[in-house]
Amino acid sequence: MEKAREARYRTIYKQLKEKIESGEYKQGNRIKTEKELQEEYGVSRDTIRRALSHLENEDYIVKRPALGTFVKHKKSDYQLSKMESFTEQMKSRGIAPSSEIISIELVSNPERQVVRELLLGEEEKCYRITRIRKGDESPMAYEIAYIPQKLCPNLQKYLDDTSSLYQIYEEVYHLRMGDGRIRLEADMPGIEIQKSLGIAHDAPVLRMECTTLLEDETPLYYVECYYIGAKYYFSTVLPRK
């Protein structure tokens, strides 16, 4: 009898896992309640709980009090071995990228950090673009990008919720991108970012500062991006010599 119960629990666990991995249960979807699963499989609640507990331990699902059980978002690997746009990152992982544009401004007096990174002259302006970056319609990061107006005039004409800035740089303005400098640190975001990303007040984020240059080393853009810590990790390969 005990072996039969063990086999039944593992069968349910494997079937639910297969539905998640195949995409039948998509990331962020709420799965059936314990009672619904109990009725579907004709087993005890304890058997269902064992199967769900196994999935939770393997990071496939997350239980949210009073809301239900949801398919957990897999963390995206931001590889630091090459310059890659958010759009390219998402597409390479089979995730549909999009953005929610909060504002597009032409700024005449940016912060000192922006002036230093972009080497702006006294009279030079830059665009400040604030967006929520999404994967499969779910918030992934809060981004503030600064681009010199002289390099990308009328930038606002080409930007919408599906645009990739990298693609605009290369295909509209025919700019040849070079190296990028990246700095990463853990951070506790302000209220506006918390609300925009739908995260708790005590949820950490990964804050990235990135300055990307053209091939002739002219600064092309400077970006501050706040990645949801539960959805991202950063990786690279370090040579011995």
Side-chain angles (χ1 to χ4, degrees):
M1 179 68 79
E2 183 61 32
K3 287 185 178 180
R5 283 198 296 266
E6 180 76 12
R8 192 62 178 142
Y9 129 71
R10 288 193 172 277
T11 297
I12 295 169
Y13 151 74
K14 289 179 180 178
Q15 288 181 5
L16 292 174
K17 179 180 176 180
E18 185 177 334
K19 288 182 178 180
I20 293 172
E21 291 184 335
S22 69
E24 184 175 340
Y25 287 161
K26 299 184 183 300
Q27 296 180 41
N29 283 174
R30 187 175 73 84
I31 66 174
K32 294 179 179 179
T33 65
E34 290 180 359
K35 184 176 181 181
E36 289 171 335
L37 290 171
Q38 185 182 351
E39 292 173 353
E40 178 180 344
Y41 288 101
V43 297
S44 68
R45 178 162 290 188
D46 180 64
T47 299
I48 294 298
R49 285 179 174 172
R50 289 184 67 188
L52 293 177
S53 179
H54 203 147
L55 289 169
E56 187 175 21
N57 289 339
E58 293 188 355
D59 240 17
Y60 281 96
I61 61 173
V62 58
K63 294 180 180 178
R64 297 175 182 166
L67 294 177
T69 301
F70 295 81
V71 178
K72 194 168 185 178
H73 286 273
K74 295 179 181 179
K75 286 194 174 186
S76 292
D77 180 5
Y78 191 122
Q79 297 183 6
L80 298 177
S81 56
K82 61 180 179 180
M83 289 299 298
E84 193 177 40
S85 72
F86 177 87
T87 298
E88 291 166 341
Q89 292 169 29
M90 293 295 102
K91 287 184 176 179
S92 69
R93 291 155 183 77
I95 301 172
S98 62
S99 298
E100 178 183 335
I101 298 175
I102 297 175
S103 63
I104 303 175
E105 307 164 89
L106 188 57
V107 182
S108 58
N109 56 341
E111 298 175 0
R112 291 182 181 179
Q113 176 73 7
V114 177
V115 173
R116 285 196 299 266
E117 294 296 331
L118 296 180
L119 301 179
L120 295 174
E122 290 186 8
E123 302 298 324
E124 290 184 330
K125 298 180 181 180
C126 69
Y127 288 100
R128 179 169 59 208
I129 300 169
T130 304
R131 300 186 288 178
I132 300 172
R133 311 309 304 273
K134 297 181 177 182
D136 288 340
E137 298 300 322
S138 177
M140 301 287 286
Y142 185 97
E143 177 190 272
I144 308 169
Y146 299 86
I147 304 100
Q149 181 191 26
K150 64 182 180 182
L151 293 179
C152 301
N154 300 313
L155 178 59
Q156 72 281 358
K157 289 171 55 178
Y158 306 103
L159 198 63
D160 58 34
D161 288 346
T162 61
S163 298
S164 164
L165 278 173
Y166 276 41
Q167 188 174 10
I168 292 173
Y169 298 147
E170 294 174 338
E171 297 183 7
V172 175
Y173 296 103
H174 307 293
L175 299 170
R176 299 180 65 86
M177 298 173 64
D179 296 336
R181 300 190 299 263
I182 288 179
R183 176 184 174 184
L184 288 169
E185 62 181 342
D187 198 3
M188 298 299 290
I191 295 176
E192 180 182 354
I193 295 177
Q194 292 169 10
K195 290 182 177 179
S196 296
L197 295 179
I199 58 176
H201 73 280
D202 57 351
V205 295
L206 293 166
R207 181 177 185 272
M208 181 182 76
E209 294 180 21
C210 177
T211 302
T212 297
L213 313 176
L214 297 176
E215 287 187 343
D216 65 1
E217 299 191 352
T218 299
L220 171 59
Y221 76 84
Y222 169 69
V223 65
E224 298 173 0
C225 200
Y226 301 82
Y227 294 92
I228 297 177
K231 296 184 179 181
Y232 264 93
Y233 65 92
F234 290 74
S235 68
T236 189
V237 175
L238 300 176
R240 180 70 175 91
K241 294 182 181 180

